[in-house]
Amino acid sequence: MTTKPHLIAIDLDGTLLNSEKNISERTKSVIAEARRQGHHVAIATGRPYRASVRYYNELALDSPIVNFNGAFVHHPLDRSFGTYHSPMELNTARSIVSSCTEINVKNIMAEVLDDVYLHQHDELIMQNMIMNESSIYTGEIHKNLKDDPTSLLIHPHEQQLADLRSMLKEHHAEMIEHRVWAAPLNIIEIVRAGLNKSVGLKRLAEHFNVPQERIIAFGDEDNDLEMIEYAGTGVAMGNAITELKNISNEITMTNEEDGVASFLEERLNIILPDKRQLS
């Protein structure tokens, strides 16, 4: 191996995955070769574990995984790594749910790891965000939710978005972090204060004994900001938001153009047997 082992942390949506939510054959081959060379590859996503395990298995990874933007970090194949679950306080969650129901938001979803609490049945959410393995409880969240939630997802009407964000900042800033998903969903995602992907990334770096300067991280959205900033080499996708591009060390091609594979090929000097067959 020509270079020392790197830790390569990769976001899923808009980064590793194309618009069809798939990993290209070229990207799979490049990641396999990077791992063969001794580099560590890990997924760092806002998704719950149930919605990312498919890709973990597809890449045949054997690393810890960062879920819920750092609120849940564990090693699917090695219990000795430990389980790091940092939910928000139930009282905080109930207070936010109460404020949201008062103004009649479209929907609210709470997750306690892989248990899902849905305020109202919603086919779009059921298809896109809930996998079959989950336990789903539909109905009034403030009555059904009995445990500290890993995350809260608020789906407001478009005209409510700015006011809701102001309310969260004003009344709950010390207790929570919140982000907004990209259009068209405009969902507000809420986790416990102090959590982000870099928290999980630090844990992985300690586990693999890889210094900060040998961490490469890829992302495209505002939930990747801290991770991109923390990594020795923070890489923004070509399709990333401007704010992320501004703080990144490098910018690669878009997720549709195999940006992750393209960057790793060059940085780690990976040459695949026949690129033409893998495009």
Side-chain angles (χ1 to χ4, degrees):
M1 179 173 151
T2 51
T3 54
K4 290 180 177 177
H6 284 65
L7 170 56
I8 301 160
I10 313 174
D11 166 57
L12 287 177
D13 298 281
T15 301
L16 184 68
L17 309 182
N18 59 25
S19 59
E20 303 293 311
K21 302 296 182 190
N22 292 319
I23 308 171
S24 74
E25 290 303 318
R26 175 188 175 194
T27 300
K28 275 191 258 190
S29 299
V30 168
I31 286 173
E33 179 58 23
R35 292 180 62 226
R36 195 191 67 76
Q37 288 184 11
H39 301 294
H40 310 289
V41 177
I43 290 169
T45 178
R47 288 179 177 225
Y49 178 61
R50 67 175 185 277
S52 42
V53 63
R54 166 195 161 187
Y55 304 110
Y56 184 93
N57 293 336
E58 202 172 322
L59 294 171
L61 297 182
D62 56 2
S63 52
I65 182 168
V66 178
N67 290 112
F68 290 110
N69 292 321
F72 181 49
V73 184
H74 82 297
H75 196 315
L77 306 176
D78 182 5
R79 283 191 178 178
S80 69
F81 173 81
T83 296
Y84 303 93
H85 181 217
S86 309
M88 75 181 83
E89 287 188 7
L90 182 57
N91 285 342
T92 302
R94 281 182 169 157
S95 172
I96 294 168
V97 167
S98 178
S99 301
C100 290
T101 50
E102 276 173 25
I103 62 167
N104 259 339
V105 296
K106 282 186 190 173
N107 215 343
I108 306 166
M109 186 167 116
E111 299 180 84
V112 181
L113 293 178
D114 285 324
D115 286 346
V116 176
Y117 297 81
L118 196 56
H119 200 60
Q120 299 177 67
H121 179 81
D122 184 319
E123 210 50 54
L124 186 72
I125 288 177
M126 296 290 283
Q127 285 172 10
N128 292 292
M129 292 154 63
I130 299 174
M131 308 297 154
N132 294 337
E133 310 90 76
S134 2
S135 305
I136 304 165
Y137 306 88
T138 306
E140 297 176 64
I141 287 182
H142 59 279
K143 290 181 182 173
N144 289 340
L145 187 63
K146 304 282 198 300
D147 299 297
D148 295 350
T150 315
S151 81
L152 270 183
L153 300 177
I154 314 295
H155 192 188
H157 295 279
E158 205 171 325
Q159 68 273 17
Q160 297 171 326
L161 191 62
D163 287 347
L164 254 179
R165 291 200 80 178
S166 299
M167 181 275 290
L168 291 170
K169 204 169 184 177
E170 195 177 331
H171 297 293
H172 303 285
E174 292 176 14
M175 308 299 291
I176 60 155
E177 308 283 346
H178 76 281
R179 318 263 186 180
V180 176
W181 292 8
L185 282 177
N186 292 325
I187 280 175
I188 301 175
E189 179 180 44
I190 303 167
V191 295
R192 185 168 128 186
L195 293 174
N196 55 64
K197 291 184 183 181
S198 75
V199 173
L201 190 53
K202 286 175 193 171
R203 219 177 266 291
L204 268 58
E206 285 166 15
H207 173 71
F208 288 120
N209 199 24
V210 171
Q212 210 168 337
E213 63 268 20
R214 290 210 308 272
I215 298 174
I216 302 172
F218 295 89
D220 71 309
E221 274 291 344
D222 74 343
N223 65 337
D224 298 308
L225 285 163
E226 293 88 353
M227 175 171 81
I228 295 300
E229 208 159 27
Y230 176 76
T233 306
V235 186
M237 303 301 290
N239 51 288
I241 59 170
T242 306
E243 197 183 349
L244 195 75
K245 287 179 176 176
N246 288 344
I247 64 150
S248 67
N249 303 104
E250 310 262 2
I251 298 171
T252 187
M253 312 281 272
T254 70
N255 62 323
E256 296 297 329
E257 301 166 312
D258 296 338
V260 171
S262 174
F263 185 88
L264 291 176
E265 282 172 344
E266 192 176 329
R267 181 56 57 100
L268 302 178
N269 197 23
I270 291 172
I271 300 166
L272 296 177
D274 188 350
K275 280 189 193 177
R276 287 167 302 177
Q277 291 176 8
L278 301 168
S279 59

